Each structure stands twice: as C-alpha cells, then as structure tokens.
Amino acid sequence: MSTTTILMTVLGIAIFAVGLLFSIAWHELGHLSTAKLFGIRVPQYMVGFGPTVWSRKKGDTEYGIKAIPAGGYIRMIGMFPPGADGRLEARSTSPWRGMIEDARSAAFEELQPGDESRLFYTRKPWKRVIVMFAGPFMNLVLAVAIFMGVAMTFGFQTQTTEVAGVQQCVIAQSENRDTCKAADPVSPAKAAGLKEGDRIVAFDGRKIDDWATLSDRIRETTGPATITVQRDGREQTLNAVLRKNAVAKKDADGEVIPDQYVTAGYLGFAANTEIVPLSFGDSVVRMGDMIENGVDSIIALPSKIPDLWSAAFSDGERADDSPVGVVGAARIGGEVMNLDVPAQNQIAMMLFLLAGFNLSLFLFNMLPLLPLDGGHIAGALWEALRRNVAKVFKRPDPGPFDVAKLMPVAYVVAGIFICFTLLVLVADIVNPVKIT
C-alpha cells in the first residue's frame, strides 16, 4: 500500500469521524434545546463516552467532549419519578429491584434546592415526547438536508438515452454470455444502423426524455418501429424491427431483479450513464425510497445475524446490504477517498454516507424500546393514555408512569444491542463491506 493510499484512507476516516461527532452533537442539541425550553435542568451535555477530554460550564450545564466518539448524552434531572413511598433511594436484595432503585436514584443524584419545579417527569407527557423526539428528529432533518442538497446540486448516476454500445447479435440475457455464435441473429439495433454516441430522442414517433420510458417502450414493442436519434447535431430517423428476447425482469420501481427474466421486445444496445441532478419532486421521491429502505433494513436486522456470524467467524461472504457499524462506515469513507473519480464525486459520496448514517440514527432511536429515545416516548404516550382514560371514566389520576420499572427490560435490550454491535464490529474488521 502506497503512502498516498494510506494518507487518503486516513483523511477519509478523519472526515467521517468529524461528521459522526457533528451528528451526535446535533442529536443531543435537539434534546438539550427542548429540555431547556420546557424548564428542565440539564447538568451535562456530552459528546462521546469515557474520560472527559474537554469541558466548560455555562449556566447550570457542563458542556464537554469525551474520549470515545461512539455516542453522546445529556443528563436531565428527574428522568424517573420517586417510588410509591416517595423516597428517592432504597435498597433491595432483588437484583431486578436493585436496577430499578439504582436508576431512580441516579435520576435525582444531582438534585439541588429549587429543582423540584425543574424535574423531567413533572412535565406534561406531550412535552416529554417533544424532548425525547427532538434528538432523533435533528438527525432526520440533517439526513434530509444533506440528501436533498446533494441530489439537487450534484445528482445521481443515471442511465440516459445515449447509446454507449451496440450489441452485435441477439443473445438471451439468461445465457450469461457476450460472444456471438453463428446461429445468433443480428441485433435489431445493429441492423437499423444505430451507433455509439447516438442519443435517442423519439421512439416510434413518440418523444423520449428518459431511459426508464425508452426501456419500457422497447420492451412493449415487437416488429417494425422507428427510432429518432440525434447524431452530429442533427436528427435522423432509423427503421428497426424489434425481436422478442429473454431480458432481465424489473420490479415496480424499475430496478432489475437478479436472476429473473421475462420475454419482451429487444433492440440491442447499452445505455450510457451520466450524473444527473434531480428535480425537487424527484429528490423527495428518492428520499422517500431511502427512508422506506431504511425501515426495511431495521426490520430485517435479526435475519442478518446468521450471515454476519458467518462473515465474522467463518468463510462466509459479506453481503452488500450487510449491517455496517461505525468502524465499517469509517473504512468505507477511507475507500471513497481512494477512488479514481473526480473530487466532487468523492465529496458527494461522503455526504451521502453521512446522510445514511443520520437516517439510521433516527430510525434506530425511534424503536419503542428502552433505553432508546423511542422507549421514553412510548412511556410518555402510555402515561397520557392512562390519565385520559381515567379522566373520561372519572377515576383517580394514576399519576406519572414509572418508566424505572422497565429498567430490567432496558438492561436486557441494551445487552442485546451491545452483543449485536460487537458482532458487527468484528465483521467490519475481519471481513468488511467494500465499495466497487
């Protein structure tokens, strides 16, 4: 590995690390700003975990950076209500009760005179939902802003109606070969005189603006058809006779389905690709697809564990859609900086990587499980439901929902997350996902 490659890899990792720290700080800023807005005291705002590298106190909040850039947090006074007896501290011989009491005690350990009116649990449920949702929402805002900005200014690699090459003969795509045999008929594109560099502007008398429309019309057509091309600055009409052929099957979004084929009209040329900026509407659609794919990925996480284990501890292949952790994403950032592409392409890819990371943070934190933000949101919504039902049926107010009672479950969930994170970490080190 050359010195240049090493330096560019380090640069890519460093750029991703800076983006990661900013994303974490941005997430915690959402919690901090809304907590202060609703009068909740926040003793700490920290980016990272472990020993404190730098900190500074302003007002009643200590702001700082810690040594391990793997997350962040803010501390709010009174995250959990007191026990049924009103006490903040107690001890129990039961380990499960001990977890509950420890969590309750930690929520009040920095309680100062006058804080009685600044406790998190005393705020109305809708305010607590806003405080806990604000962090993930900041990541969603950042993901959308980055994605939309890059999509509308830089764009995506997109197939166009320009001819990149003409097939010499008709070969069923299911045969997986490129060499023509004597018995293979001449491709309709070659017979019609289509040439590399031609840009198809109309098909069978109908105007064509994009590859998706052209591809669909070719597949729908067999027999004679006219093809209008722009060649050397002039329009020229070619006559072709399209044939039936086994071609790759597409899904509802126009994406090719691997190893599946259908019989359809065939012309016989390869489309060129260009980086094309998207309109606002197309960018919104792409962003929606990205969110939908992200949700599907979160749902599919448990099913990825066997393949991850095989990739980490056996000779299994690491799938392209395999879950990637912080280390794996940083490695991808290093690879991006070593790609033989223009600098603007590298910048766009790094920004898309950061957008994807922030979208993942949003979706993951919205899972209704403690200790994630979504777990606290679910607790506040359950409290609101209980109190409103009691009000409707004129029953006594049940009071705040004691989220601390769910801490044993939270420890189990946290343990599962830690094990999964360690599995991904090992896979990212010994068998990383690579870009091609």
Side-chain angles (χ1 to χ4, degrees):
M1 186 180 291
S2 67
T3 303
T4 302
T5 300
I6 294 173
L7 289 175
M8 295 306 291
T9 299
V10 172
L11 177 62
I13 293 172
I15 291 173
F16 177 78
V18 171
L20 170 66
L21 285 173
F22 178 80
S23 300
I24 294 169
W26 184 248
H27 174 105
E28 299 303 334
L29 181 62
H31 291 313
L32 177 74
S33 57
T34 49
K36 285 183 173 289
L37 176 67
F38 296 134
I40 301 166
R41 190 164 78 83
V42 184
Q44 277 191 320
Y45 168 92
M46 291 288 170
V47 177
F49 296 116
T52 301
V53 175
W54 170 89
S55 71
R56 187 175 186 179
K57 190 162 186 177
K58 186 175 181 181
D60 54 12
T61 303
E62 178 191 9
Y63 300 86
I65 298 174
K66 291 184 173 285
I68 305 173
Y73 65 92
I74 68 167
R75 293 190 62 182
M76 292 183 285
I77 296 297
M79 283 290 290
F80 307 115
D85 58 0
R87 297 174 63 189
L88 303 181
E89 295 187 32
R91 293 311 310 158
S92 172
T93 56
S94 165
W96 297 110
R97 283 299 311 170
M99 291 179 187
I100 296 171
E101 292 154 4
D102 287 343
R104 202 187 312 283
S105 176
F108 290 90
E109 65 181 11
E110 296 186 43
L111 190 66
Q112 297 176 358
D115 281 346
E116 293 78 7
S117 61
R118 305 182 67 186
L119 304 174
F120 176 79
Y121 84 90
T122 61
R123 296 302 179 264
K124 291 183 178 180
W126 67 267
K127 291 185 178 180
R128 278 180 274 152
V129 168
I130 290 175
V131 171
M132 300 313 298
F133 179 69
F137 181 68
M138 294 291 271
N139 292 123
L140 178 63
V141 168
L142 188 57
V144 171
I146 293 174
F147 184 89
M148 296 287 288
V150 178
M152 294 173 65
T153 57
F154 181 78
F156 284 93
Q157 194 84 10
T158 305
Q159 284 185 295
T160 67
T161 61
E162 183 177 319
V163 178
V166 176
Q167 306 295 335
Q168 299 300 303
C169 60
V170 178
I171 302 175
Q173 292 182 6
S174 57
E175 293 185 21
N176 195 27
R177 63 180 173 93
D178 298 321
T179 306
C180 293
K181 296 180 180 179
D184 294 333
V186 175
S187 75
K190 181 176 175 59
L194 197 65
K195 295 182 179 180
E196 180 180 345
D198 287 349
R199 184 175 290 274
I200 299 175
V201 295
F203 183 82
D204 223 12
R206 297 163 67 186
K207 186 179 177 182
I208 295 292
D209 294 317
D210 58 82
W211 164 250
T213 303
L214 176 59
S215 176
D216 289 344
R217 289 183 182 171
I218 290 173
R219 286 170 176 250
E220 293 166 358
T221 305
T222 53
T226 59
I227 304 169
T228 305
V229 301
Q230 198 169 57
R231 181 185 296 172
D232 299 327
R234 297 167 54 189
E235 286 192 2
Q236 185 174 339
T237 300
L238 308 176
N239 294 300
V241 179
L242 277 68
R243 303 173 63 100
K244 288 185 178 181
N245 193 21
V247 297
K249 186 177 181 179
K250 294 183 178 182
D251 60 21
D253 297 322
E255 299 294 329
V256 171
I257 302 175
D259 302 321
Q260 293 191 35
Y261 304 92
V262 294
T263 300
Y266 178 77
L267 182 55
F269 74 96
N272 204 353
T273 59
E274 296 175 358
I275 295 177
V276 180
L278 302 184
S279 66
F280 177 78
D282 288 340
S283 297
V284 170
V285 171
R286 278 289 187 103
M287 186 71 227
D289 292 340
M290 187 176 175
I291 293 174
E292 183 180 348
N293 292 335
V295 172
D296 292 339
S297 297
I298 293 290
I299 295 172
L301 277 181
S303 67
K304 304 289 185 182
I305 293 176
D307 288 341
L308 268 174
W309 184 271
S310 178
F313 300 106
S314 185
D315 56 354
E317 257 186 60
R318 188 82 185 269
D320 292 338
D321 62 348
S322 176
V324 174
V326 173
V327 171
R331 289 186 68 154
I332 291 174
E335 289 185 21
V336 167
M337 297 307 294
N338 279 294
L339 291 177
D340 186 20
V341 296
Q344 62 179 9
N345 294 47
Q346 292 174 324
I347 294 171
M349 292 178 73
M350 290 296 290
L351 287 172
F352 277 131
L353 182 64
L354 187 60
F357 178 78
N358 274 274
L359 179 60
S360 298
L361 277 180
F362 167 74
L363 294 174
F364 189 70
N365 272 288
M366 289 309 296
L367 292 175
L369 301 169
L370 286 174
L372 302 175
D373 295 328
H376 290 282
I377 292 172
L381 292 175
W382 175 245
E383 178 184 323
L385 178 63
R386 288 199 316 165
R387 286 184 151 178
N388 282 309
V389 168
K391 189 175 181 179
V392 168
F393 290 98
K394 297 181 180 180
R395 295 173 181 169
D397 186 350
F401 174 63
D402 192 359
V403 182
K405 291 180 179 179
L406 298 178
M407 288 311 296
V409 177
Y411 282 118
V412 172
V413 172
I416 293 172
F417 287 161
I418 290 171
C419 291
F420 182 78
T421 301
L422 290 175
L423 176 60
V424 173
L425 174 63
V426 173
D428 284 342
I429 293 173
V430 302
N431 193 354
V433 172
K434 297 181 180 180
I435 57 175
T436 58

